[in-house]
Amino acid sequence: MSLERKFFGTNGIRGIPGVDLTLEFIVEMSQAIGTYFGKGPILVGYDGRLSSPLISKAVSAGVMASGLDVSEAGLTPTPGLQYSVKKLGYNGGVMITASHNPPQYNGIKVVGPDGVEIPRQDEVEIERIYIDRVYKRADWRDIGSYRSESAVIQTYIEGTLSQVDEDVIKKRDLKVVLDLGNSVATLAIPYALSSLGCKVLTINGHIDGEFSGRGPEPTPSTLSGLSNNVKSSGADVGIAYDGDGDRAIFCDEKGIIHWGDMTGTLLVNYLLKKSPGALVVTTVSTSQMVDLVAKKRSSKVLRTRVGSVEVSRAMIDNDALLGLEENGGFFYAPHIQVRDGLMTSLLILEALSHDGRPFSEILLELPKFHQRKAKFQCPNEIKMEVMREIERRSKGKVEKIDGVKIWADESTWILLRPSGTEPLIRVFGESKDAKILDELIERYSSIVVEIIEKIKEG
Ligand code: MG
């Protein structure tokens, strides 16, 4: 069976309501989702976007029309829905969210009974049911029932708290600034941290479907507000979340924002002290600092294609303890094998509390690498041809897990990948030596531009 998907992207189905995500499409696709599950009950939750309540109702209607019972979770962070599916014994779940995408977007993410997004081949199966229109239409007696599930947020908070050493965090008496990004993260995270004795200050703390504070994507360029608040309040740490609360980006006590591979590696280092030899999963684009830290703890790092589902499924298939992405996604298997902004925050607070030193000092101990990013416009229809030509012209040690990763020396690599969602070829590189890295990026950038031009001309 081909794994080419027509509607599901890297993270479920995404689009603009009324344009790509029409009501008719959503209802019929949800009948296909119900038919795929075969039995309920199914838990449906949503993020704070303006279109989310409407889409949630349409999804519930489609699933019920295929004969399955539905419980509505209402507003929840994505990992809250996912953990509740597993913990409360649902046969599956659907989360309405477009994560960090601009406010006009929304999306449909399907999760299995284990709370993790369903595997790629199951997405293809749902698409087949939808395209062939072979979804089940329940008889009037068999239409699914509808109730609301009020235990999701509480279940989620209790689940994450049960994974950390509450006493050691309480003793450290941390001051934390949360940039909640006007997202559903606000429903759980301030409460969990307050219960651990943290002094919590919040910014962008009300849910707003237009994300009018700093937008739904936490990046160093959108987090100056967090940085300033941490410095002016003398906080120990700042944390920012994306639009559905599954990713967390951290700020140290000096107001410096750190990308996810730094803080993820800090956690790998901390957690492998307790479980040396445990397996770590990350994507092909994450910094090699994680490999160096894991090696010190006799652990192996398994690399996957880019995408949180790839990490989740590889963790389950290989019984891994930890997973991470450079965008701030961190996965802790004893809780659930999905990225989770609250779980990540609690683990960082525990690591800080155990250590006792300021956040910035602990980060200083991690291996240092230079990193560079570039991107090139490339029409979607020639992306694959461009990639084949790049592959043909790449020299040295080449990995083809996702895109083309070329190693120039022991610590220097460059990754060239087509974007999954935009007409772009992305270039990303890392090295101990800034000069070697700059030369490599420059060389391959001109190769990419040349290939794109040549193929465009035909
Ligand atoms: Mg997200």
Side-chain angles (χ1 to χ4, degrees):
M1 186 165 61
S2 159
L3 285 186
E4 183 82 31
R5 291 157 297 151
K6 293 176 181 66
F7 301 101
F8 284 86
T10 317
N11 278 296
I13 299 169
R14 293 268 170 96
I16 298 176
V19 181
D20 320 290
L21 297 179
T22 63
L23 205 53
E24 298 82 347
F25 171 80
I26 295 165
V27 171
E28 289 191 35
M29 185 55 89
S30 302
Q31 284 175 273
I33 292 168
T35 305
Y36 155 78
F37 277 121
K39 70 179 178 86
I42 303 300
L43 185 62
V44 179
Y46 53 87
D47 73 9
R49 288 164 192 270
L50 299 178
S51 58
S52 289
L54 168 74
I55 296 175
S56 163
K57 298 277 185 266
V59 166
S60 298
V63 172
M64 288 157 68
S66 71
L68 275 56
D69 295 340
V70 166
S71 293
E72 192 181 282
L75 285 164
T76 172
T78 296
L81 180 283
Q82 293 180 296
Y83 179 72
S84 296
V85 165
K86 178 176 95 158
K87 180 74 179 175
L88 301 175
Y90 283 89
N91 194 49
V94 181
M95 180 70 195
I96 314 304
T97 178
S99 184
H100 62 277
N101 288 151
Q104 65 271 32
Y105 283 84
N106 215 327
I108 298 168
K109 191 200 271 271
V110 184
V111 310
D114 54 4
V116 178
E117 287 108 306
I118 57 171
R120 296 302 193 202
Q121 64 267 27
D122 290 25
E123 294 178 345
V124 175
E125 169 70 10
I126 291 172
E127 293 193 345
R128 190 193 60 76
I129 297 168
Y130 170 80
I131 291 165
D132 296 346
R133 304 175 72 89
V134 289
Y135 37 75
K136 198 175 153 214
R137 293 176 173 86
D139 176 73
W140 67 272
R141 283 174 203 278
D142 298 327
I143 288 170
S145 67
Y146 186 76
R147 60 180 278 268
S148 73
E149 174 59 82
S150 57
V152 168
I153 300 295
Q154 197 56 34
T155 302
Y156 174 50
I157 292 176
E158 285 169 6
T160 51
L161 286 174
S162 74
Q163 294 294 339
V164 292
D165 185 341
E166 296 192 28
D167 292 338
V168 78
I169 299 175
K170 280 179 182 157
K171 264 189 217 133
R172 174 84 196 259
D173 203 14
L174 292 158
K175 188 189 263 191
V176 186
V177 181
L178 300 175
D179 180 346
L180 297 150
N182 303 115
S183 81
V184 279
T186 210
L187 297 168
I189 292 166
Y191 305 98
L193 268 57
S194 298
S195 81
L196 291 171
C198 298
K199 285 186 198 71
V200 178
L201 289 86
T202 63
I203 53 176
N204 302 315
H206 65 285
I207 296 176
D208 168 2
E210 298 190 52
F211 299 101
S212 46
R214 49 99 175 140
E217 168 83 312
T219 66
S221 63
T222 58
L223 300 182
S224 53
L226 176 66
S227 171
N228 292 335
N229 270 279
V230 165
K231 284 186 284 186
S232 63
S233 65
D236 299 289
V237 52
I239 319 174
Y241 303 90
D242 75 326
D244 63 332
D246 60 353
R247 291 193 283 128
I249 294 289
F250 293 84
C251 171
D252 69 25
E253 81 289 352
K254 293 182 171 163
I256 310 227
I257 309 288
H258 297 277
W259 203 228
D261 41 12
M262 284 285 281
T263 49
T265 302
L266 184 152
L267 282 181
V268 168
N269 191 33
Y270 170 68
L271 294 164
L272 288 183
K273 262 183 221 166
K274 295 193 260 186
S275 310
L279 184 68
V280 181
V281 177
T282 193
T283 74
V284 68
S285 61
T286 307
S287 169
Q288 60 199 300
M289 66 175 80
V290 64
D291 302 78
L292 298 184
V293 163
K295 202 173 162 192
K296 249 184 18 199
R297 309 274 177 222
S298 316
S299 283
K300 284 208 162 58
V301 177
L302 181 72
R303 297 270 173 175
T304 68
R305 293 171 63 85
V306 171
S308 66
V309 193
E310 309 286 346
V311 176
S312 291
R313 287 289 156 198
M315 285 179 74
I316 292 171
D317 293 346
N318 298 282
D319 196 22
L321 178 71
L322 309 173
L324 72 152
E325 298 174 298
E326 84 281 4
N327 60 12
F330 193 84
F331 310 60
Y332 188 53
H335 173 54
I336 183 171
Q337 294 94 339
V338 302
R339 56 187 184 189
D340 186 330
L342 173 55
M343 190 71 252
T344 309
S345 304
L346 297 182
L347 290 169
I348 286 278
L349 297 184
E350 188 193 281
L352 290 178
S353 303
H354 256 291
D355 193 289
R357 287 175 299 167
F359 197 3
S360 65
E361 268 182 50
I362 308 173
L363 285 162
L364 267 179
E365 285 180 352
L366 298 175
K368 290 282 169 309
F369 289 94
H370 301 277
Q371 297 177 333
R372 301 280 186 274
K373 269 181 187 170
K375 56 188 179 189
F376 299 94
Q377 292 293 329
C378 176
N380 282 325
E381 54 278 12
I382 64 165
K383 267 188 202 166
M384 286 308 136
E385 203 181 338
V386 170
M387 287 309 300
R388 276 195 296 274
E389 185 60 17
I390 292 171
E391 203 177 308
R392 207 179 61 76
R393 288 172 60 171
S394 45
K395 293 188 182 66
K397 183 183 156 197
V398 178
E399 288 174 22
K400 291 173 199 163
I401 296 171
D402 194 352
V404 181
K405 187 172 185 177
I406 304 152
W407 287 84
D409 62 42
E410 241 181 32
S411 86
T412 309
W413 57 264
I414 182 169
L415 175 70
L416 303 105
R417 279 184 69 240
S419 162
T421 48
E422 295 167 89
L424 294 173
I425 301 282
R426 293 184 187 281
V427 179
F428 182 53
E430 182 181 63
S431 180
K432 280 259 178 227
D433 187 318
K435 195 162 157 265
I436 293 176
L437 180 61
D438 287 335
E439 282 167 13
L440 191 69
I441 293 276
E442 206 172 304
R443 174 145 51 93
Y444 274 94
S445 295
S446 52
I447 290 176
V448 170
V449 170
E450 185 200 318
I451 293 173
I452 292 172
E453 286 311 312
K454 212 173 118 193
I455 293 176
K456 266 209 249 169
E457 284 163 17

